[in-house]
Every structure is written in C-alpha cells, then in structure tokens.
Amino acid sequence: MSWLTFHVGGQMHALEAAPVRQIVRSPRLLALPLSARQPHCAGLMAWQGRPLLVLDLGACLLRRSSLAGGDARFLVWSQARQAGVLAVDGVDGLLRLSPTTLTRHWAPARPGLPAPWNAIQGLLHAGKAANEQSLDPTLATADPIAVFDVVGLWQACWAGAGGAR
C-alpha cells in the first residue's frame, strides 16, 4: 500500500496515492460566482480541458485556509468518474508499507465521527514502537497519521460547503 502524505495546519494526514493524478503548485484559479462562494470552495481549476472544483482542505478540516500561506499544493484526484482538487498546506511524500508492517501499525477509525472526520479510514502510527525501527526516519516522533478516503473526504467537505444540500 502507498499513501500520499500531506499536511494541513501542522498535522500530517494521508490519502491513498492511486487516485491522485497530479500535484500542482500555484495554478490559476477561476473565481466562483458570488452566490456560490463558500470558505471551503477556493474556485475552479482547469485540468485536462475541464474545470474542476477546488476545495480548501484547511478551511474544511481546521477552519483556516490552506491558501493563506502561499505555499499551498493542489492535489488533483480522479476515481470512478469523480474528480476534484484538494488544496493542502504542503505535500510530504509517499509512504509505502508492506502488508505486515501495515497490520502492526494500523488502527481502524471509529464509526460515528462527525464530517469531515468520518472520511478517516484509519490511523497509521509511523513512529517508533518498542524494539522496532521507525517505519520512516522522518516520521520517528510523528503523531498518528489520519488516513482519509479521498471520495469520502471530498463529499464531506463539499457537503460542509453547502454543495450537497
């Protein structure tokens, strides 16, 4: 399994890497009409000849924009005829784990979390466990990483922005 790790507000999170098609820095965003503007909706981005809605993950998860810092990255994803863009504070890289390692360091998410946190598939503890080497030296003292389902996260953020009423 491999995940794309990213951060929002100093917290590391992850998405399954397969649906992420491209990571873009500083794309030209088209503004939404005034009637459609919401804090979670950053605008539209042209990608491969079609407009994709950009959702600001910082505004969705932490109530502060990922676009405010100027170093935001835009994760273009597509899966099963759905596509969109998630703006995050930064991208950290790929995390690849063997099934054995995953079994030892994975904790499934509890049901009943409020949106958008209900899109968490599980928590991945990438730090050192007793008598084990770190999975990734850069994550040796990291807190658990929330691993999100990209479609579930998109839908939860879009609903929070008023798009799925």
Side-chain angles (χ1 to χ4, degrees):
M1 296 285 305
S2 63
W3 291 278
L4 178 67
T5 58
F6 62 92
H7 58 274
V8 174
Q11 298 174 347
M12 187 177 289
H13 303 291
L15 296 170
E16 185 179 344
V20 178
R21 304 293 180 227
Q22 188 174 6
I23 301 168
V24 180
R25 182 179 183 165
S26 304
R28 181 169 176 247
L29 297 181
L30 302 172
L32 294 170
L34 284 175
S35 61
R37 289 188 189 168
Q38 298 285 331
H40 298 69
C41 298
L44 295 171
M45 182 181 112
W47 186 72
Q48 294 187 352
R50 66 185 212 190
L52 296 179
L53 184 65
V54 178
L55 293 181
D56 184 337
L57 210 46
C60 181
L61 296 176
L62 302 174
R63 308 286 189 255
R64 66 135 203 83
S65 178
S66 286
L67 304 176
D71 288 333
R73 298 295 185 268
F74 297 79
L75 310 178
V76 180
W77 66 271
S78 114
Q79 183 176 353
R81 296 187 183 182
Q82 293 181 304
V85 182
L86 294 169
V88 299
D89 293 5
V91 173
D92 300 301
L94 283 177
L95 181 61
R96 291 187 178 102
L97 301 177
S98 70
T100 304
T101 303
L102 180 61
T103 301
R104 288 192 314 234
H105 296 278
W106 179 264
R110 287 193 208 173
L113 292 172
W117 303 103
N118 60 349
I120 294 175
Q121 295 176 318
L123 296 175
L124 183 61
H125 183 70
K128 281 188 181 175
N131 300 322
E132 290 186 34
Q133 287 187 328
S134 173
L135 299 175
D136 181 339
T138 63
L139 302 175
T141 59
D143 292 329
I145 300 169
V147 178
F148 287 95
D149 170 66
V150 70
V151 174
L153 180 59
W154 176 264
Q155 290 171 345
C157 288
W158 179 232
R165 289 182 202 188

Coordinates of all heavy atoms in Angstrom, one line a residue, residues 43-133:
G43 N -12.4 27.9 -5.7 CA -12.7 28.3 -7.1 C -12.6 27.1 -8.0 O -12.8 25.9 -7.6
L44 N -12.4 27.3 -9.3 CA -12.2 26.3 -10.3 C -10.8 26.3 -10.9 O -10.2 27.4 -11.0 CB -13.3 26.5 -11.4 CG -14.7 26.5 -11.0 CD1 -15.6 26.9 -12.2 CD2 -15.1 25.0 -10.7
M45 N -10.4 25.1 -11.2 CA -9.1 25.0 -11.8 C -9.2 24.2 -13.1 O -9.9 23.1 -13.1 CB -8.1 24.2 -10.9 CG -6.7 24.1 -11.4 SD -5.7 23.1 -10.3 CE -5.4 21.7 -11.2
A46 N -8.7 24.6 -14.2 CA -8.7 23.9 -15.5 C -7.7 22.8 -15.4 O -6.5 23.0 -15.0 CB -8.4 24.8 -16.6
W47 N -8.1 21.6 -15.7 CA -7.2 20.4 -15.7 C -7.7 19.5 -16.9 O -8.8 19.0 -17.0 CB -7.3 19.7 -14.4 CG -6.3 18.5 -14.3 CD1 -5.0 18.7 -14.2 CD2 -6.6 17.1 -14.3 NE1 -4.4 17.4 -14.1 CE2 -5.3 16.5 -14.2 CE3 -7.7 16.4 -14.5 CZ2 -5.2 15.1 -14.2 CZ3 -7.6 15.0 -14.5 CH2 -6.4 14.4 -14.3
Q48 N -6.8 19.3 -17.8 CA -7.0 18.4 -19.0 C -8.3 18.8 -19.7 O -9.1 18.0 -20.1 CB -7.0 16.9 -18.6 CG -5.7 16.5 -18.1 CD -5.6 15.0 -17.9 OE1 -6.6 14.3 -17.9 NE2 -4.4 14.5 -17.6
G49 N -8.5 20.1 -19.9 CA -9.6 20.6 -20.7 C -10.9 20.6 -20.0 O -11.9 20.9 -20.6
R50 N -10.9 20.4 -18.7 CA -12.2 20.5 -18.0 C -12.0 21.3 -16.6 O -11.0 21.2 -16.0 CB -12.8 19.1 -17.7 CG -12.1 18.2 -16.8 CD -12.7 16.9 -16.8 NE -12.5 16.3 -15.5 CZ -12.8 15.0 -15.2 NH1 -13.3 14.3 -16.1 NH2 -12.7 14.6 -14.0
P51 N -13.1 21.9 -16.2 CA -13.0 22.7 -14.9 C -13.2 21.7 -13.8 O -14.1 20.9 -13.8 CB -14.1 23.7 -15.0 CG -15.1 23.1 -15.9 CD -14.4 22.2 -16.9
L52 N -12.4 21.8 -12.8 CA -12.5 21.0 -11.5 C -12.7 22.0 -10.4 O -12.0 23.0 -10.3 CB -11.3 20.1 -11.3 CG -11.1 19.0 -12.3 CD1 -9.8 18.3 -11.9 CD2 -12.2 18.1 -12.5
L53 N -13.6 21.6 -9.5 CA -13.8 22.4 -8.3 C -12.6 22.2 -7.3 O -12.2 21.1 -7.1 CB -15.1 22.0 -7.6 CG -15.5 22.9 -6.4 CD1 -15.8 24.3 -6.7 CD2 -16.7 22.2 -5.7
V54 N -12.1 23.3 -6.7 CA -11.0 23.2 -5.8 C -11.6 23.4 -4.4 O -12.2 24.5 -4.1 CB -10.0 24.3 -6.0 CG1 -8.9 24.3 -5.0 CG2 -9.4 24.2 -7.4
L55 N -11.4 22.4 -3.5 CA -11.9 22.6 -2.1 C -10.6 22.8 -1.2 O -9.6 22.1 -1.4 CB -12.6 21.3 -1.6 CG -13.9 21.0 -2.3 CD1 -14.6 19.8 -1.8 CD2 -14.9 22.2 -2.1
D56 N -10.7 23.8 -0.4 CA -9.7 24.1 0.6 C -9.7 23.2 1.8 O -10.6 23.4 2.6 CB -9.8 25.6 0.9 CG -8.7 26.1 1.8 OD1 -8.0 25.3 2.5 OD2 -8.5 27.4 1.8
L57 N -8.8 22.3 1.9 CA -8.8 21.3 3.0 C -8.6 22.0 4.3 O -9.1 21.5 5.3 CB -7.8 20.2 2.7 CG -8.2 18.8 3.2 CD1 -9.6 18.4 3.0 CD2 -7.2 17.8 2.7
G58 N -7.7 23.0 4.3 CA -7.5 23.7 5.6 C -8.8 24.3 6.1 O -9.1 24.2 7.3
A59 N -9.6 25.0 5.3 CA -10.9 25.5 5.7 C -11.8 24.5 6.1 O -12.6 24.6 7.0 CB -11.4 26.4 4.5
C60 N -11.8 23.3 5.4 CA -12.7 22.2 5.8 C -12.4 21.6 7.1 O -13.2 21.3 7.9 CB -12.7 21.2 4.6 SG -13.8 19.8 4.9
L61 N -11.1 21.2 7.3 CA -10.7 20.5 8.5 C -10.4 21.4 9.7 O -10.8 21.0 10.8 CB -9.4 19.7 8.2 CG -9.5 18.6 7.2 CD1 -8.1 17.9 6.9 CD2 -10.5 17.5 7.6
L62 N -9.8 22.5 9.5 CA -9.4 23.4 10.6 C -10.0 24.8 10.7 O -9.6 25.6 11.5 CB -7.8 23.5 10.6 CG -7.1 22.1 10.6 CD1 -5.6 22.4 10.4 CD2 -7.4 21.4 11.9
R63 N -10.8 25.1 9.7 CA -11.5 26.4 9.7 C -10.4 27.5 9.5 O -10.6 28.7 9.9 CB -12.3 26.7 11.0 CG -13.3 25.7 11.4 CD -14.5 25.8 10.4 NE -15.5 24.9 10.9 CZ -15.9 23.8 10.4 NH1 -15.2 23.3 9.4 NH2 -16.9 23.1 10.9
R64 N -9.3 27.2 8.8 CA -8.4 28.2 8.3 C -7.8 27.8 7.0 O -7.5 26.6 6.8 CB -7.3 28.5 9.4 CG -6.3 27.3 9.6 CD -4.9 27.9 9.6 NE -3.9 26.9 9.3 CZ -3.5 26.5 8.1 NH1 -4.1 26.9 7.0 NH2 -2.6 25.6 7.9
S65 N -7.7 28.7 6.1 CA -7.4 28.4 4.7 C -6.0 27.8 4.5 O -5.0 28.3 5.1 CB -7.6 29.7 3.9 OG -7.2 29.4 2.5
S66 N -5.9 26.8 3.7 CA -4.6 26.3 3.2 C -3.9 27.3 2.2 O -2.8 27.2 1.9 CB -4.7 24.9 2.6 OG -4.9 24.0 3.6
L67 N -4.7 28.2 1.7 CA -4.2 29.1 0.6 C -3.6 30.3 1.2 O -2.9 31.1 0.6 CB -5.4 29.5 -0.3 CG -6.1 28.4 -1.0 CD1 -7.3 28.9 -1.8 CD2 -5.2 27.6 -1.8
A68 N -3.8 30.6 2.5 CA -3.3 31.8 3.2 C -1.8 31.9 3.2 O -1.2 33.0 3.1 CB -3.8 31.9 4.6
G69 N -1.1 30.8 3.3 CA 0.4 30.8 3.4 C 1.1 31.0 2.1 O 2.3 31.3 2.1
G70 N 0.5 30.8 1.0 CA 1.1 31.0 -0.3 C 1.9 29.8 -0.8 O 2.4 29.8 -1.9
D71 N 2.1 28.8 0.0 CA 2.9 27.6 -0.5 C 2.0 26.4 -0.7 O 2.4 25.2 -0.7 CB 3.9 27.2 0.6 CG 5.1 28.2 0.6 OD1 5.3 28.8 -0.4 OD2 5.7 28.3 1.7
A72 N 0.7 26.6 -0.8 CA -0.3 25.5 -1.0 C 0.0 24.6 -2.2 O 0.6 25.1 -3.1 CB -1.7 26.1 -1.1
R73 N -0.4 23.4 -2.0 CA -0.3 22.4 -3.1 C -1.7 22.0 -3.5 O -2.5 21.9 -2.6 CB 0.6 21.2 -2.8 CG 2.0 21.5 -2.5 CD 2.8 22.1 -3.7 NE 4.2 22.3 -3.4 CZ 4.7 23.4 -3.0 NH1 3.9 24.5 -2.8 NH2 6.0 23.5 -2.8
F74 N -1.9 21.7 -4.7 CA -3.2 21.3 -5.2 C -3.2 19.8 -5.7 O -2.5 19.5 -6.6 CB -3.7 22.2 -6.3 CG -3.8 23.7 -5.8 CD1 -2.7 24.5 -5.6 CD2 -5.0 24.2 -5.5 CE1 -2.8 25.8 -5.2 CE2 -5.1 25.5 -5.0 CZ -4.0 26.3 -4.8
L75 N -3.9 19.0 -5.0 CA -4.0 17.6 -5.3 C -5.1 17.3 -6.2 O -6.3 17.3 -5.8 CB -4.1 16.7 -4.0 CG -3.1 17.0 -2.9 CD1 -3.4 16.2 -1.7 CD2 -1.7 16.9 -3.3
V76 N -4.8 17.0 -7.5 CA -5.8 16.7 -8.5 C -6.1 15.2 -8.3 O -5.1 14.4 -8.4 CB -5.4 17.0 -9.9 CG1 -6.5 16.6 -10.9 CG2 -5.0 18.5 -10.0
W77 N -7.3 14.8 -8.1 CA -7.6 13.4 -7.9 C -8.8 13.0 -8.9 O -9.6 13.8 -9.3 CB -8.0 13.0 -6.5 CG -9.3 13.7 -6.0 CD1 -9.4 14.9 -5.5 CD2 -10.6 13.2 -6.2 NE1 -10.7 15.2 -5.2 CE2 -11.5 14.2 -5.6 CE3 -11.1 12.0 -6.6 CZ2 -12.9 14.0 -5.6 CZ3 -12.5 11.8 -6.6 CH2 -13.3 12.8 -6.1
S78 N -8.8 11.7 -9.2 CA -9.9 11.2 -10.0 C -10.1 9.7 -9.7 O -9.1 9.0 -9.5 CB -9.7 11.5 -11.5 OG -9.5 10.4 -12.2
Q79 N -11.4 9.4 -9.5 CA -11.7 8.0 -9.2 C -13.1 7.7 -9.6 O -14.0 8.5 -9.2 CB -11.4 7.7 -7.7 CG -11.6 6.3 -7.2 CD -11.3 6.1 -5.8 OE1 -10.8 7.0 -5.1 NE2 -11.6 5.0 -5.3
A80 N -13.4 6.7 -10.3 CA -14.7 6.2 -10.7 C -15.6 7.4 -11.1 O -16.6 7.6 -10.6 CB -15.3 5.5 -9.5
R81 N -15.2 8.1 -12.2 CA -15.9 9.1 -12.8 C -16.1 10.4 -11.9 O -16.8 11.3 -12.3 CB -17.3 8.7 -13.3 CG -17.2 7.6 -14.4 CD -18.5 7.3 -14.9 NE -18.5 6.3 -15.9 CZ -19.5 5.9 -16.6 NH1 -20.7 6.4 -16.4 NH2 -19.3 4.9 -17.5
Q82 N -15.4 10.4 -10.8 CA -15.4 11.6 -10.0 C -14.1 12.2 -10.0 O -13.1 11.5 -10.1 CB -15.8 11.3 -8.5 CG -17.3 10.9 -8.4 CD -17.6 10.6 -6.9 OE1 -16.9 9.8 -6.3 NE2 -18.6 11.3 -6.4
A83 N -14.0 13.6 -9.9 CA -12.7 14.2 -9.9 C -12.8 15.5 -9.2 O -13.9 16.1 -9.1 CB -12.2 14.4 -11.3
G84 N -11.7 16.0 -8.7 CA -11.7 17.3 -8.0 C -10.3 17.7 -7.6 O -9.3 17.0 -8.0
V85 N -10.2 18.8 -6.9 CA -8.9 19.3 -6.4 C -9.0 19.6 -5.0 O -9.9 20.2 -4.5 CB -8.4 20.5 -7.2 CG1 -7.1 21.0 -6.8 CG2 -8.5 20.3 -8.7
L86 N -8.0 19.1 -4.2 CA -7.9 19.5 -2.8 C -6.7 20.4 -2.5 O -5.6 20.0 -2.9 CB -7.8 18.2 -1.9 CG -9.0 17.3 -1.9 CD1 -8.6 15.9 -1.3 CD2 -10.2 17.9 -1.2
A87 N -6.9 21.5 -2.0 CA -5.8 22.4 -1.6 C -5.3 22.1 -0.2 O -6.1 22.0 0.7 CB -6.2 23.9 -1.7
V88 N -4.0 21.8 -0.1 CA -3.4 21.5 1.2 C -2.2 22.4 1.4 O -1.7 23.1 0.5 CB -3.0 20.0 1.2 CG1 -4.1 19.1 1.0 CG2 -1.9 19.7 0.2
D89 N -1.8 22.5 2.7 CA -0.6 23.4 3.0 C 0.6 22.9 2.4 O 1.5 23.8 2.0 CB -0.4 23.4 4.5 CG -1.6 24.1 5.3 OD1 -2.6 24.4 4.7 OD2 -1.4 24.2 6.5
G90 N 0.9 21.6 2.3 CA 2.1 21.1 1.6 C 2.0 19.6 1.5 O 1.2 19.0 2.1
V91 N 2.8 19.1 0.6 CA 2.9 17.6 0.4 C 4.2 17.1 0.9 O 5.3 17.7 0.7 CB 2.8 17.3 -1.1 CG1 3.0 15.9 -1.4 CG2 1.4 17.8 -1.6
D92 N 4.2 16.0 1.7 CA 5.4 15.5 2.3 C 6.0 14.4 1.5 O 7.2 14.2 1.6 CB 5.0 15.0 3.7 CG 4.5 16.2 4.5 OD1 5.3 17.2 4.7 OD2 3.3 16.2 5.0
G93 N 5.3 13.6 0.8 CA 5.8 12.5 0.0 C 5.0 11.3 0.1 O 3.9 11.3 0.5
L94 N 5.6 10.2 -0.5 CA 4.9 8.9 -0.5 C 5.3 8.0 0.7 O 6.5 8.0 1.1 CB 5.2 8.1 -1.7 CG 4.5 8.6 -3.0 CD1 4.9 7.7 -4.2 CD2 3.0 8.4 -2.9
L95 N 4.4 7.3 1.3 CA 4.6 6.4 2.4 C 4.2 5.0 1.9 O 3.0 4.8 1.5 CB 3.9 6.8 3.6 CG 4.0 5.9 4.8 CD1 5.5 5.9 5.3 CD2 3.1 6.4 6.0
R96 N 5.2 4.1 1.7 CA 4.9 2.8 1.2 C 5.1 1.8 2.4 O 6.1 1.8 3.0 CB 5.8 2.4 0.1 CG 5.4 3.2 -1.2 CD 6.3 2.7 -2.3 NE 5.9 3.4 -3.5 CZ 6.7 4.4 -4.0 NH1 7.8 4.7 -3.5 NH2 6.3 5.0 -5.1
L97 N 4.1 0.9 2.6 CA 4.2 -0.1 3.7 C 3.8 -1.4 3.2 O 2.9 -1.6 2.4 CB 3.2 0.3 4.8 CG 3.4 1.7 5.5 CD1 2.3 1.9 6.5 CD2 4.7 1.8 6.1
S98 N 4.5 -2.4 3.7 CA 4.2 -3.8 3.4 C 2.9 -4.2 4.2 O 2.6 -3.6 5.2 CB 5.4 -4.7 3.8 OG 5.4 -4.8 5.2
P99 N 2.2 -5.2 3.7 CA 1.0 -5.6 4.5 C 1.4 -6.0 5.9 O 0.6 -5.7 6.8 CB 0.5 -6.8 3.7 CG 1.0 -6.6 2.3 CD 2.4 -5.9 2.5
T100 N 2.5 -6.6 6.2 CA 2.9 -7.0 7.5 C 3.1 -5.7 8.4 O 2.6 -5.7 9.5 CB 4.2 -7.8 7.5 OG1 4.0 -8.9 6.7 CG2 4.6 -8.3 8.9
T101 N 3.8 -4.8 7.9 CA 4.0 -3.5 8.6 C 2.7 -2.8 8.9 O 2.5 -2.3 9.9 CB 5.0 -2.6 7.9 OG1 6.2 -3.4 7.7 CG2 5.3 -1.4 8.7
L102 N 1.9 -2.8 7.8 CA 0.6 -2.1 7.9 C -0.2 -2.7 9.0 O -0.8 -2.0 9.9 CB -0.1 -2.2 6.6 CG -1.5 -1.5 6.6 CD1 -1.4 -0.1 6.9 CD2 -2.2 -1.8 5.2
T103 N -0.3 -4.0 9.1 CA -1.0 -4.7 10.2 C -0.6 -4.3 11.6 O -1.4 -4.1 12.4 CB -0.9 -6.3 10.0 OG1 -1.4 -6.6 8.7 CG2 -1.7 -7.0 11.1
R104 N 0.7 -4.2 11.7 CA 1.2 -3.8 13.1 C 1.0 -2.4 13.5 O 1.0 -2.0 14.6 CB 2.7 -4.1 13.1 CG 3.1 -5.5 13.2 CD 4.6 -5.7 13.5 NE 5.4 -4.8 12.8 CZ 6.5 -5.2 12.0 NH1 6.8 -6.5 11.9 NH2 7.2 -4.3 11.4
H105 N 0.8 -1.5 12.5 CA 0.8 0.0 12.8 C -0.5 0.6 12.4 O -0.7 1.9 12.4 CB 1.9 0.7 12.0 CG 3.3 0.3 12.5 ND1 3.8 0.8 13.7 CD2 4.1 -0.7 12.1 CE1 5.0 0.2 13.9 NE2 5.2 -0.7 12.9
W106 N -1.6 -0.1 12.0 CA -2.8 0.4 11.6 C -3.9 0.3 12.7 O -4.0 -0.8 13.3 CB -3.3 -0.3 10.3 CG -4.6 0.1 9.8 CD1 -5.8 -0.4 10.0 CD2 -4.8 1.2 8.9 NE1 -6.8 0.2 9.3 CE2 -6.2 1.3 8.6 CE3 -4.0 2.2 8.3 CZ2 -6.8 2.2 7.8 CZ3 -4.5 3.1 7.5 CH2 -5.9 3.1 7.2
A107 N -4.7 1.3 12.9 CA -5.8 1.3 13.8 C -7.0 1.8 13.0 O -7.0 2.9 12.5 CB -5.6 2.1 15.0
P108 N -8.1 0.9 12.8 CA -9.2 1.4 12.1 C -9.9 2.6 12.8 O -9.9 2.7 14.0 CB -10.1 0.2 12.0 CG -9.5 -0.9 12.8 CD -8.2 -0.4 13.3
A109 N -10.6 3.4 12.0 CA -11.3 4.6 12.6 C -12.6 4.1 13.2 O -13.2 3.1 12.8 CB -11.6 5.5 11.5
R110 N -12.9 4.8 14.3 CA -14.2 4.5 15.0 C -15.4 5.1 14.1 O -15.3 6.2 13.6 CB -14.2 5.2 16.3 CG -13.4 4.6 17.3 CD -13.7 5.1 18.7 NE -12.6 5.1 19.5 CZ -12.6 5.7 20.7 NH1 -13.6 6.4 21.2 NH2 -11.5 5.6 21.5
P111 N -16.5 4.3 14.1 CA -17.6 4.9 13.4 C -18.3 6.0 14.2 O -18.1 6.1 15.4 CB -18.6 3.6 13.2 CG -18.1 2.7 14.2 CD -16.6 3.0 14.5
G112 N -19.0 6.8 13.5 CA -19.7 7.9 14.2 C -19.0 9.2 14.3 O -19.5 10.1 15.0
L113 N -17.8 9.4 13.7 CA -17.1 10.7 13.8 C -17.9 11.7 12.9 O -18.5 11.3 11.9 CB -15.7 10.5 13.2 CG -14.7 9.7 14.0 CD1 -13.4 9.5 13.3 CD2 -14.5 10.4 15.4
P114 N -17.9 13.0 13.3 CA -18.6 14.0 12.6 C -17.9 14.3 11.3 O -16.6 14.1 11.2 CB -18.6 15.2 13.5 CG -17.4 15.0 14.3 CD -17.3 13.5 14.5
A115 N -18.6 14.8 10.3 CA -18.0 15.1 9.0 C -17.1 16.3 9.2 O -17.4 17.2 10.1 CB -19.1 15.5 8.0
P116 N -16.0 16.4 8.6 CA -15.4 15.6 7.6 C -14.5 14.4 8.1 O -14.0 13.6 7.4 CB -14.5 16.5 6.8 CG -14.0 17.5 7.8 CD -15.2 17.7 8.7
W117 N -14.4 14.4 9.4 CA -13.6 13.3 10.1 C -14.1 11.9 9.9 O -13.4 11.0 10.0 CB -13.4 13.7 11.6 CG -12.8 15.0 11.7 CD1 -13.5 16.2 12.1 CD2 -11.5 15.4 11.5 NE1 -12.6 17.3 12.1 CE2 -11.4 16.8 11.7 CE3 -10.3 14.8 11.1 CZ2 -10.2 17.6 11.6 CZ3 -9.2 15.5 10.9 CH2 -9.1 16.9 11.2
N118 N -15.4 11.8 9.5 CA -15.9 10.5 9.2 C -15.3 9.9 7.9 O -15.6 8.7 7.6 CB -17.5 10.5 9.1 CG -17.9 11.5 8.0 OD1 -17.2 12.2 7.4 ND2 -19.2 11.4 7.7
A119 N -14.5 10.6 7.2 CA -13.9 10.1 6.0 C -12.5 9.4 6.3 O -11.8 8.9 5.4 CB -13.6 11.2 5.0
I120 N -12.2 9.4 7.6 CA -10.9 8.7 8.0 C -11.1 7.2 7.9 O -12.1 6.7 8.5 CB -10.5 9.2 9.4 CG1 -10.1 10.6 9.5 CG2 -9.4 8.3 9.9 CD1 -9.8 11.1 10.9
Q121 N -10.2 6.6 7.2 CA -10.3 5.1 7.1 C -9.6 4.5 8.4 O -10.0 3.4 8.8 CB -9.6 4.6 5.9 CG -10.2 5.0 4.6 CD -9.4 4.6 3.4 OE1 -8.2 4.7 3.4 NE2 -10.1 4.1 2.4
G122 N -8.6 5.1 8.8 CA -7.9 4.6 10.0 C -6.7 5.5 10.4 O -6.5 6.5 9.7
L123 N -6.0 5.2 11.4 CA -4.8 5.9 11.9 C -3.6 5.0 11.7 O -3.7 3.8 12.0 CB -5.0 6.3 13.4 CG -6.1 7.2 13.7 CD1 -6.2 7.4 15.2 CD2 -5.9 8.6 13.0
L124 N -2.6 5.6 11.2 CA -1.3 4.9 11.0 C -0.3 5.5 11.9 O 0.0 6.7 11.9 CB -0.9 5.1 9.5 CG 0.3 4.4 9.1 CD1 0.2 2.9 9.2 CD2 0.6 4.8 7.6
H125 N 0.2 4.7 12.8 CA 1.2 5.1 13.7 C 2.6 4.8 13.1 O 3.0 3.6 13.0 CB 1.1 4.5 15.1 CG 2.1 5.0 16.1 ND1 2.1 6.3 16.6 CD2 3.2 4.4 16.6 CE1 3.1 6.4 17.3 NE2 3.8 5.3 17.4
A126 N 3.3 5.8 12.6 CA 4.5 5.6 11.9 C 5.7 5.9 12.8 O 6.9 5.8 12.3 CB 4.6 6.6 10.7
G127 N 5.5 6.1 14.1 CA 6.7 6.4 15.0 C 7.3 5.1 15.4 O 6.9 4.0 15.1
K128 N 8.3 5.2 16.3 CA 8.9 4.0 16.8 C 8.1 3.3 17.9 O 7.5 3.9 18.8 CB 10.3 4.4 17.5 CG 11.4 4.6 16.5 CD 12.7 4.8 17.2 CE 13.8 5.0 16.2 NZ 15.0 5.3 16.9
A129 N 8.0 2.0 17.7 CA 7.3 1.2 18.7 C 8.5 0.5 19.5 O 9.6 0.6 19.1 CB 6.4 0.2 18.1
A130 N 8.1 -0.1 20.6 CA 9.2 -0.7 21.4 C 9.9 -1.8 20.6 O 9.3 -2.6 19.9 CB 8.5 -1.4 22.7
N131 N 11.2 -1.7 20.7 CA 12.1 -2.7 20.0 C 11.9 -2.8 18.5 O 12.1 -3.8 17.9 CB 11.8 -4.1 20.6 CG 12.1 -4.2 22.0 OD1 13.1 -3.5 22.5 ND2 11.3 -4.9 22.8
E132 N 11.4 -1.7 17.9 CA 11.3 -1.6 16.4 C 12.0 -0.4 15.9 O 12.1 0.6 16.5 CB 9.8 -1.6 16.0 CG 9.0 -2.8 16.3 CD 7.6 -2.7 15.7 OE1 7.5 -2.1 14.7 OE2 6.7 -3.3 16.3
Q133 N 12.4 -0.5 14.6 CA 12.9 0.7 13.9 C 11.7 1.5 13.4 O 10.7 0.9 13.2 CB 13.8 0.3 12.7 CG 15.1 -0.3 13.1 CD 15.9 -0.5 11.9 OE1 15.4 -0.8 10.8 NE2 17.2 -0.4 12.0

